[in-house]
Structure formats: structure tokens, C-alpha cells
Amino acid sequence: MRCLNSSSTAVSDPLRPAQHTLTPHHHISVTGGSSGIGKCIAIECYKQGAFITLVARDESKLVQAKKEVEKSAINDKQVVLCISVDVSKDYSQVESVIKQAQEKLGPVDMLVNCAGMSVSGKFEEVDVERFRGLMEVNYLGSVYPTRAVITTMKERRMGRVVFVSSQAGQLGLFGYTAYSASKFALRGLAEALQMEVKPYNIYVTVSYPPDTDTPCLTEENKTKPLETKLISETSGVCQPEQVAKVIVKDAVQGNFNSSVGPDGYMLSALTCGMSPVTSITEGLQQIVTMGLFRTIALFYLGSFDSIVRRCMIQREQSKAADKRE
């Protein structure tokens, strides 16, 4: 049975989808699946018996990731398919390779859009082409694969689509003018898409992971401004395996928001706005906690502004001292 839900027709509850779990032979496609959170999501799904399509640009990393995922097999019928393609450049090419994957492993039951990159730096110091590049990878790199699977999902009246955003897609922080904008865009896409596909029993999940110990974070830290580093240090760094478990659980349950830890829960409640809720209880919790969380958030924002001011003052004092010498 391939269906992610207990019924192949739209659920009757207007808020909460039917409870379900991954079952063997579900086809899960993961973009950005060669490393980091994407690879860990693939492993988590493979442990539950799913068939996996890994999508990424680097063929050598894909081959290595395939070997790591296959170690988690629970039966000898499972398959890991690798596709080397840039999901942000050519929609027709993305559509073609996704079609090939579906011909081999069956229709995609759950698409996880995890391909992404991060750039940090002061607004005027980030090359304008980096703004374009981030929007292509982080936003269009999610639009194209989703377009490639959504029609089939609607025809089958079932499916899950996951967009991996970031906590920087919930609030803008110093140094993330390019990155935050591309991650904020995913939420707008997800909210509009969820309204379109919900009658077809398709549920969208947006994940907002905090800083996570991935190759992307390691690369970003090499050029991260001091202010951004100090602000980031106010919260810890999560492990990709932990984040992956949360994302898979929330996606399978049909939750729109997926967050990690107390800070993540608070941010999701604070920034819920007009986002869909999965249950009446979730909505009531947001209403009750909004005032308290807003108070806490104001203290956080005050401390972030203080960090930025101190760094600016120290930098100006250092420049003045250099001039005197």
C-alpha cells in the first residue's frame, strides 16, 4: 500500500490530516540529498522502508551518500536512486529527471526540498550576483522539483511536499539580507501552495531549522561577520540527524510548521501570522502564548541590537586608533 494516509480521498477534518506513518515502498525524493540535513532525511526515511531518490549536483558526493543511506536498509527490496542535476537552473531538465525517477521507483509520495546554500555578509558588501544566486538555489531550486511532482500528486489525491527553510526565514538578522530573503520566500510559496492542494489531500510542511552542523554551516562560518557570529552564539548548534527526525515526523503527520527545540517553537508561534494550523489545539496555543513570547522576543531583539552597536563602536574606535598611529 503506497498511500501515506489511511484513505486515498481527502480527509474530512478541515484541520488535521489522517494520522499515518511511512510504510515500505513509499518513494521519497530528497533534493540536496548528498550531505547535511538532506542526507540525514534520506537515511531516516530509508530506516522506515522507503525507496529514495537522492538529487544533488555533485555526482561523487551522491555516490558516497548512496552508500551511507544503503547501510540503513531494513529489507533487500529497497532502492536508492541517484540523480545529478542542478535543480535551480533548467526546469525542463529537472522535470525530465524527476519523471525518470518516477518511472523507476513509482510516483513520488513525499518530496523534500533541501537543496540550498548560505551567504552571510553586510548588505553593501555582498555581491549583487550572490543575491540572484541565493534566490535561484534556495527558492527556484524548490519551485522546480515541486512543479515536477505536484500534478501527479493531485491526480493520486495524496502526497507530501517539504520546504526546508531556516530560522533566518522567520526573522531577519544582521548579515543575512540575501539569505533571509530567499528563505522567507519559501514560506509565501508554501502557504499559497497549501491552500491550493489541501483539497487533494496533499499537505505542505515548512521546516525552520536552527544552525545545524552541516558542510554548509562550516563554509558559511569562514566569512561570517562578527555581529552574525555573536548573535548566532546565543543559541546552540543542532545535529543534522536530530533535525531530520523532526522534519520527517512533522511531514508524515501533515504539520505545516516544523521547528526544533524551545526557541524554534517560540519563533513558529510568534511568526504564525496567517499560516495554516494542523489542529485547533495548535491554534489555541499560539493565541495563548503570543503575548508572553512577544515579550521574550523583544528582549532578544534588544540584545541583538546591543551586539551590533558594540561591534560598530569597537570598529570605529579601532579605526580612530589606527589613524592616530
Side-chain angles (χ1 to χ4, degrees):
M1 180 176 175
R2 294 184 55 81
C3 183
L4 277 169
N5 294 292
S6 58
S7 168
S8 61
T9 58
V11 294
S12 58
D13 187 334
L15 291 181
R16 179 173 290 283
Q19 293 300 304
H20 45 72
T21 58
L22 282 176
T23 61
H25 308 310
H26 278 145
H27 180 190
I28 314 298
S29 181
V30 185
T31 71
S34 63
S35 64
I37 295 173
K39 182 177 70 176
C40 291
I41 288 174
I43 291 172
E44 183 65 23
C45 292
Y46 210 62
K47 288 178 180 178
Q48 299 182 38
F51 285 18
I52 304 293
T53 296
L54 295 175
V55 183
R57 290 176 298 180
D58 193 317
E59 194 166 351
S60 61
K61 289 183 179 179
L62 276 171
V63 172
Q64 181 58 39
K66 172 182 168 73
K67 294 177 181 177
E68 293 182 47
V69 174
E70 287 176 336
K71 293 177 183 178
S72 302
I74 63 171
N75 63 66
D76 57 7
K77 295 181 180 179
Q78 286 177 267
V79 177
V80 179
L81 179 66
C82 291
I83 296 177
S84 177
V85 66
D86 187 337
V87 294
S88 69
K89 295 300 182 184
D90 184 347
Y91 172 67
S92 61
Q93 187 178 11
V94 174
E95 185 181 37
S96 176
V97 296
I98 292 293
K99 181 179 179 181
Q100 293 172 25
Q102 294 193 113
E103 287 172 351
K104 293 181 180 179
L105 301 183
V108 171
D109 294 291
M110 183 164 79
L111 170 68
V112 183
N113 292 291
C114 203
M117 62 183 291
S118 175
V119 171
S120 61
K122 294 180 182 178
F123 177 69
E124 71 276 15
E125 295 177 0
V126 176
D127 192 286
V128 292
E129 286 303 313
R130 302 306 294 272
F131 284 84
R132 181 195 300 274
L134 282 178
M135 287 301 295
E136 288 179 345
V137 175
N138 294 345
Y139 178 66
L140 293 179
S142 293
V143 170
Y144 292 167
T146 303
R147 275 287 302 273
V149 303
I150 205 69
T151 300
T152 302
M153 286 184 175
K154 289 174 76 171
E155 290 172 350
R156 299 174 65 225
R157 297 293 198 274
M158 66 183 72
R160 295 289 184 269
V161 178
V162 181
F163 297 105
V164 179
S165 180
S166 163
Q167 285 187 352
Q170 293 173 296
L171 77 160
L173 293 174
F174 187 106
Y176 285 141
T177 50
Y179 180 65
S180 282
S182 65
K183 290 298 188 177
F184 264 83
L186 290 176
R187 172 172 171 168
L189 169 64
E191 289 187 3
L193 181 62
Q194 176 65 100
M195 192 174 289
E196 288 189 24
V197 301
K198 190 174 181 179
Y200 297 88
N201 199 30
I202 300 167
Y203 286 86
V204 176
T205 297
V206 188
S207 170
Y208 300 103
D211 280 349
T212 305
D213 188 12
T214 65
C216 182
L217 180 64
T218 301
E219 190 65 25
E220 179 195 333
N221 283 338
K222 293 179 181 178
T223 58
K224 185 178 288 185
L226 175 60
E227 291 90 337
T228 312
K229 288 181 180 179
L230 293 174
I231 290 172
S232 297
E233 287 173 359
T234 59
S235 60
V237 176
C238 286
Q239 294 303 307
E241 295 83 2
Q242 175 193 3
V243 175
K245 287 179 184 294
V246 172
I247 292 174
V248 172
K249 176 177 176 290
D250 285 330
V252 170
Q253 291 182 348
N255 297 332
F256 183 78
N257 285 301
S258 179
S259 59
V260 180
D263 286 351
Y265 176 78
M266 183 181 75
L267 270 175
S268 290
L270 269 173
T271 60
C272 60
M274 289 288 287
S275 292
V277 292
T278 309
S279 68
I280 294 174
T281 301
E282 180 185 1
L284 290 174
Q285 287 175 341
Q286 292 169 351
I287 293 169
V288 171
T289 59
M290 182 65 74
L292 172 62
F293 286 166
R294 178 57 175 166
T295 303
I296 296 172
L298 291 174
F299 280 102
Y300 271 105
L301 290 171
S303 68
F304 297 163
D305 286 340
S306 178
I307 288 171
V308 173
R309 283 195 300 270
R310 287 202 310 270
C311 288
M312 183 189 71
I313 292 170
Q314 290 173 2
R315 196 173 287 113
E316 289 180 346
Q317 290 176 342
S318 178
K319 287 181 181 179
D322 290 340
K323 288 181 179 180
R324 288 195 296 270
E325 292 177 358

